[in-house]
Amino acid sequence: MTVTRRNLLRWGAAAAGAVTASGLLAGCGGAERRPVPPLSPGQDPWRRFAGTTINFISENTAPTAAIAANLQPFTELTGITVRIVNLELSALVQRVALDMASGTSQYQVIYADPYQVLAPYSAGLADLREFIEDPSYPVLEGGLEDFIPTQLRAAGSFEQEGPVYALPYDCPTMIWQYRADLFAAHGARMADDLGFDPTPGPDRTWDEYRRIAAWFTDNVDEVRYGTGHQAKQHDSLMCDFSNVLWSYGGDYFDAGEQVGLLGVRDPGRCTLDSAEAIEAARFYDELLAVAHPASRTWDWDGVGAALRAGEIAMCPNWHEFAASNEEAFPGAMGYAPLPSGPTGSANMYGGCGIGITANASGAERGAAWLFVNWATSRGTQLDNLRSSAGGGTPTRGSVYELPEVVRAEQRPSELPNMLAGPAVRAAWEPDRIGLRPKIPMWNACDTAVFTGLSQMIAGQQDPETTMRGTARRVDQIVARGWHA
């Protein structure tokens, strides 16, 4: 993946001021909403809003790059002009906050990050059932049931079943990425030296992963270090650590599945001071001690580049880096779910949806839905897979069943991101998918987490002090609300 993802920064004062203490938008609904023009008898529902111009604000992601490079089919189908604004996520969030608070709708279609847009701003997003259930619009192909269920809930819902605020648009997920050629060349000797089968997958433990990494560093000349990590003081560090945290039985809050899947406004007390979380931090500190030293300066792009440059033999990273991996080492890469801790394998899901601002009105409101419908359709998702400008992998189950896509999971592949398909689908199993807290104040909590972890791996404090201090800081943030 990507690629610039999940670059989560603290809210700017302007964005924070756009909401009330309860998290509801102060200006939402302030402007009078114009009615959507009705469908004329005999009119093509796709041409209903021809001549309309709408704006789509998105993080600069792979699917948006692919769509931006190939908007002509949508324009020809609908007569609608779409202007795409690509931004780093933190800048996107601030613009969305201000736009919603103003009561206008400069951006009709919104890349709705679950943690920075959906959770704090669900009141400012339209419930898409308004369009899905209206027979005057084109049918949503395959219905909501065609989207991968966990992704639909994690990227599209907040607090309760029912309302759908976004349709799943991308689905980056962290998996084990490795040089299969090096494992094949050295696997037998490694197994003899280590005393276990080193084949990557969820049957391996994190401790075995650490030992494999150290073995590569000590015994293989083709790479400098066995593993690398996205351990920069940045959101990437929280993502990297979370895989270990969950696999050790730790979590950020009680009822972690509910907090991560549907989301809540008040998650309760932080549980990072639990024995399981402290043990996970202790292991993570040990893992970073054998990793490439530059790991402390890398986010996902940095560790991905190191893997492609032959600096490391393996790493946890977002699955959508598969295509660029294959360019660097054709036929030599492998993909698997992440190793297991005492409670199993956990694989961070980082997907987002696209939705419609509740303030959109008139023809722009209907045109926005036609774009959301088209942008998440089977055909568009397949075109994104084929695109040389971007890509991403599908969020619809039916796309994975297409013969072309099934074939692409084997080499030679014309859709190289699909080489990670079997591994990532295994990672999406309910007992393996990792979901960070979907709460309005997550951004500030995230900053507290990666700040504490950065101090730990720099040797400034021990794991227990780190986890207990981070838990106290998170509790303070939650108690004050999401402005913190």
Side-chain angles (χ1 to χ4, degrees):
M1 161 170 88
T2 92
V3 180
T4 303
R5 309 203 73 81
R6 312 292 86 81
N7 187 17
L8 307 183
L9 302 174
R10 294 182 66 85
W11 289 96
V19 295
T20 66
S22 67
L24 298 178
L25 299 168
C28 181
E32 184 177 353
R33 183 185 299 167
R34 303 184 309 277
V36 177
L39 181 67
S40 301
Q43 185 179 22
D44 179 354
W46 283 105
R47 303 289 299 180
R48 180 177 177 182
F49 308 109
T52 304
T53 297
I54 58 172
N55 297 315
F56 170 32
I57 187 168
S58 175
E59 185 186 2
N60 47 349
T61 64
T64 300
I67 284 174
N70 192 32
L71 269 173
Q72 191 60 32
F74 178 74
T75 302
E76 292 177 352
L77 175 66
T78 64
I80 296 166
T81 298
V82 181
R83 296 172 179 159
I84 297 178
V85 178
N86 268 317
L87 297 172
E88 182 187 41
L89 186 58
S90 57
L92 174 148
V93 172
Q94 292 186 14
R95 285 209 196 178
V96 168
L98 294 171
D99 189 51
M100 287 184 173
S102 73
T104 62
S105 55
Q106 180 180 356
Y107 307 107
Q108 292 81 23
V109 180
I110 295 172
Y111 181 85
D113 177 89
Y115 316 99
Q116 293 206 66
V117 175
L118 179 57
Y121 293 143
S122 59
L125 294 168
D127 183 348
L128 300 182
R129 294 178 300 177
E130 167 190 339
F131 311 98
I132 296 169
E133 297 171 1
D134 186 338
S136 71
Y137 288 102
V139 171
L140 179 66
E141 183 184 22
L144 292 172
E145 298 77 14
D146 195 28
F147 292 98
I148 295 166
T150 302
Q151 296 181 20
L152 181 63
R153 297 172 78 193
S157 301
F158 185 61
E159 289 196 294
Q160 60 180 319
E161 303 280 7
V164 178
Y165 298 111
L167 296 185
Y169 181 67
D170 61 12
C171 53
T173 303
M174 294 186 76
I175 58 172
W176 187 346
Q177 305 182 24
Y178 60 94
R179 289 279 301 279
D181 57 335
L182 298 184
F183 274 84
H186 304 286
R189 180 184 165 201
M190 197 188 317
D192 288 342
D193 289 351
L194 297 177
F196 60 84
D197 178 1
T199 303
D203 291 338
R204 300 280 66 76
T205 68
W206 274 111
D207 185 63
E208 289 172 342
Y209 180 99
R210 181 188 61 81
R211 294 172 62 193
I212 291 168
W215 190 93
F216 270 115
T217 301
D218 294 341
N219 295 281
V220 175
D221 294 332
E222 293 100 315
V223 291
R224 294 180 61 195
Y225 289 89
T227 188
H229 291 263
Q230 46 188 274
K232 180 180 179 179
Q233 187 173 329
H234 177 271
D235 175 65
S236 58
L237 174 53
M238 178 279 301
C239 294
D240 198 57
F241 169 70
S242 293
N243 299 309
V244 176
L245 172 70
W246 293 320
S247 75
Y248 270 70
D251 212 329
Y252 292 97
F253 301 97
D254 286 329
E257 181 177 352
Q258 171 72 15
V259 174
L261 195 58
L262 287 179
V264 296
R265 295 195 182 276
D266 181 2
R269 192 185 72 82
C270 179
T271 56
L272 286 177
D273 57 357
S274 69
E276 294 83 359
I278 292 170
E279 185 59 28
R282 187 173 291 117
F283 171 77
Y284 189 74
D285 199 30
E286 295 172 356
L287 177 60
L288 265 291
V290 304
H292 196 301
S295 294
R296 294 169 179 81
T297 69
W298 290 338
D299 59 8
W300 35 76
D301 289 321
V303 74
L307 182 64
R308 296 192 300 275
E311 287 280 307
I312 55 178
M314 60 185 186
C315 65
N317 208 353
W318 303 104
H319 82 276
E320 290 179 348
F321 275 108
S324 54
N325 291 344
E326 297 299 321
E327 291 180 6
F329 294 103
M333 295 299 302
Y335 308 95
L338 289 170
S340 292
T343 61
S345 171
N347 303 259
M348 167 72 82
Y349 164 78
C352 292
I354 56 173
I356 299 171
T357 178
N359 288 325
S361 63
E364 292 175 353
R365 188 177 183 89
W369 167 247
L370 294 186
F371 179 76
V372 169
N373 190 342
W374 174 85
T376 59
S377 67
R378 294 172 188 164
T380 302
Q381 292 196 1
L382 182 58
D383 286 343
N384 288 351
L385 267 178
R386 295 173 177 148
S387 175
S388 60
T393 44
T395 60
R396 287 179 171 271
S398 63
V399 180
Y400 291 92
E401 299 172 0
L402 297 174
E404 177 182 358
V405 176
V406 173
R407 288 194 302 272
E409 293 185 353
Q410 304 296 323
R411 292 184 177 90
S413 177
E414 296 182 356
L415 310 172
N417 266 341
M418 288 311 305
L419 293 172
V424 79
R425 287 201 301 279
W428 288 335
E429 291 295 324
D431 61 342
R432 288 181 179 153
I433 192 167
L435 299 168
R436 76 195 83 175
K438 190 163 62 174
I439 57 177
M441 65 292 290
W442 173 245
N443 187 57
C445 296
D446 180 20
T447 301
V449 171
F450 66 66
T451 299
L453 290 171
S454 183
Q455 293 169 345
M456 179 187 77
I457 63 178
Q460 297 173 10
Q461 59 189 22
D462 62 75
E464 182 171 356
T465 300
T466 297
M467 289 293 99
R468 293 192 184 281
T470 302
R472 286 194 298 272
R473 175 61 182 144
V474 169
D475 282 339
Q476 292 168 355
I477 292 167
V478 171
R480 288 200 299 266
W482 77 287
H483 288 290

